[in-house]
Amino acid sequence: GKTVRMYNLSQYADCFNSVLRYTPDGYPIVAGYSHQGSSLLVLDRDGSDVLSHYSPGSVEPQLLQISTTIPPQLLWADLDADGAVNVNGHELDTTTEVSTSAISAIICGADGRSIYNNGFYNHQTGIYRFELPLTSNSKSSLFVSGCLTKPWVMAVDSQRRIFALCQSTRHINAWDKNGHMLWSVNGTGTCVWLSLSDDEKVVLFGDSNNWEALDATTGKTLWQTSASAAFGDNVTCKYSAQPWAPRHPIAFNDGSLAFLCSHDGASKVMVLSTRTGKAMRKSTNFDFAPDMLTADASYNVYAYGSVNGQVAVQKKSLKKKVMI
């Protein structure tokens, strides 16, 4: 928990979003904005300097991602616009910028080589796929008509299957990589977040209290549960209505799903099985009330919040199975 370095970024922006990304060479990238505009900053990995500063016009970059293409691209988006710029070491090559306000970028494909957009484009509503890297001549390689969705209720797997809740019908639909519908089920009123299990076999959705799992291949319901049924009375769990705030449940590669929850005033991580919907384990209590949760591949979770006006971070290990 010792501070390694501190960056003074006040001259670039008033507010910085929670998303942090790294270039292929390990340089941190952050996004911020103020009344003067927005900023994308590449930070020194060994010191406290800003190595590259770029202001992409009126876009307020909220959703950041690094592509796996050659050259790698930094992709940014909010709900009204999107863009990309090539990354060269610790420099952003602004001569390669692609920016549009015609449609808004929603998510990156799990293959790291595609991006999926949703909105109004040429007076048509639907989901668009664009191949990476983006260029000024990029055209959509796929169009799925009629589904208006949001980034927090949409997922794309490594096979390029698309899963999304369409607002007009409140149905969760699945399409194959060619845009052919695989299945459609009623999303009911509980679908305010949607994600995939780590093995991409299960579509998970819910709100802070009720959760459901569908077979990703058939759409068949695998299980339904609630926070109280899985973890006990007086338990509520957080979810996000923003793609840049990672409060979605976190899927681990052992088939578990971690929620940031509160119980009788104490905050902890509760872990559910994606295969059965049953409780698996939980963490001990955090020392503060976190707003956000992230994790690494070693089953460590990191809670973020504030205490007395200072940023607070606490790490918990889920390797030791504290059973519910």
Side-chain angles (χ1 to χ4, degrees), residues 201-316:
K201 294 181 179 179
V202 181
V203 179
L204 304 145
F205 67 93
D207 55 19
S208 59
N209 289 298
N210 299 285
W211 311 311
E212 187 169 344
L214 306 176
D215 185 293
T217 302
T218 65
K220 179 183 177 181
T221 298
L222 300 176
W223 51 260
Q224 293 175 316
T225 191
S226 65
S228 58
F231 301 133
D233 294 337
N234 302 320
V235 175
T236 58
C237 301
K238 293 194 174 187
Y239 67 87
S240 173
Q242 299 176 344
W244 46 89
R247 298 179 200 162
H248 274 27
I250 297 171
F252 289 107
N253 60 13
D254 66 345
S256 61
L257 194 67
F259 294 82
L260 178 59
C261 303
S262 61
H263 180 231
D264 292 338
S267 296
K268 63 184 69 178
V269 174
M270 304 282 203
V271 182
L272 196 74
S273 168
T274 60
R275 299 182 179 95
T276 65
K278 304 294 184 181
M280 294 177 65
R281 54 190 184 270
K282 63 182 178 180
S283 73
T284 53
N285 293 344
F286 291 108
D287 297 333
F288 57 94
D291 296 315
M292 205 165 54
L293 189 71
T294 61
D296 61 28
S298 299
Y299 300 96
N300 297 308
V301 291
Y302 304 84
Y304 301 81
S306 61
V307 177
N308 299 324
Q310 304 243 340
V311 174
V313 183
Q314 191 171 8
K315 172 184 174 181
K316 297 280 187 180

Side-chain angles (χ1 to χ4, degrees), residues 38-78:
S38 56
S39 296
L40 296 170
L41 306 177
V42 181
L43 308 178
D44 193 346
R45 62 188 178 188
D46 301 312
S48 57
D49 296 328
V50 175
L51 301 179
S52 185
H53 170 221
Y54 175 52
S55 297
S58 60
V59 177
E60 293 184 3
Q62 307 269 14
L63 181 65
L64 295 181
Q65 193 61 269
I66 298 289
S67 73
T68 59
T69 56
I70 299 175
Q73 284 193 317
L74 172 65
L75 305 156
W76 70 85
D78 62 13

Side-chain angles (χ1 to χ4, degrees), residues 106-236:
I106 298 295
I107 56 172
C108 291
D111 59 5
R113 306 187 66 84
S114 56
I115 190 168
Y116 292 76
N117 302 50
N118 183 257
F120 300 97
Y121 188 62
N122 292 335
H123 304 290
Q124 295 186 81
T125 302
I127 299 171
Y128 300 78
R129 182 175 67 217
F130 289 84
E131 306 299 330
L132 299 178
L134 289 177
T135 70
S136 57
N137 297 319
S138 290
K139 304 291 184 183
S140 63
S141 61
L142 177 72
F143 172 65
V144 177
S145 177
C147 183
L148 182 61
T149 188
K150 298 292 185 183
W152 44 90
V153 286
M154 180 179 176
V156 180
D157 68 9
S158 56
Q159 301 177 51
R160 296 192 162 194
R161 293 182 299 181
I162 305 170
F163 307 90
L165 176 76
C166 299
Q167 291 185 348
S168 59
T169 63
R170 296 298 299 175
H171 275 65
I172 296 173
N173 297 334
W175 299 271
D176 67 15
K177 64 180 181 180
N178 298 313
H180 301 134
M181 185 173 288
L182 298 171
W183 48 261
S184 178
V185 301
N186 191 338
T188 68
T190 62
C191 185
V192 292
W193 60 262
L194 183 148
S195 62
L196 290 170
S197 62
D198 185 76
D199 60 9
E200 301 181 343
K201 294 181 179 179
V202 181
V203 179
L204 304 145
F205 67 93
D207 55 19
S208 59
N209 289 298
N210 299 285
W211 311 311
E212 187 169 344
L214 306 176
D215 185 293
T217 302
T218 65
K220 179 183 177 181
T221 298
L222 300 176
W223 51 260
Q224 293 175 316
T225 191
S226 65
S228 58
F231 301 133
D233 294 337
N234 302 320
V235 175
T236 58

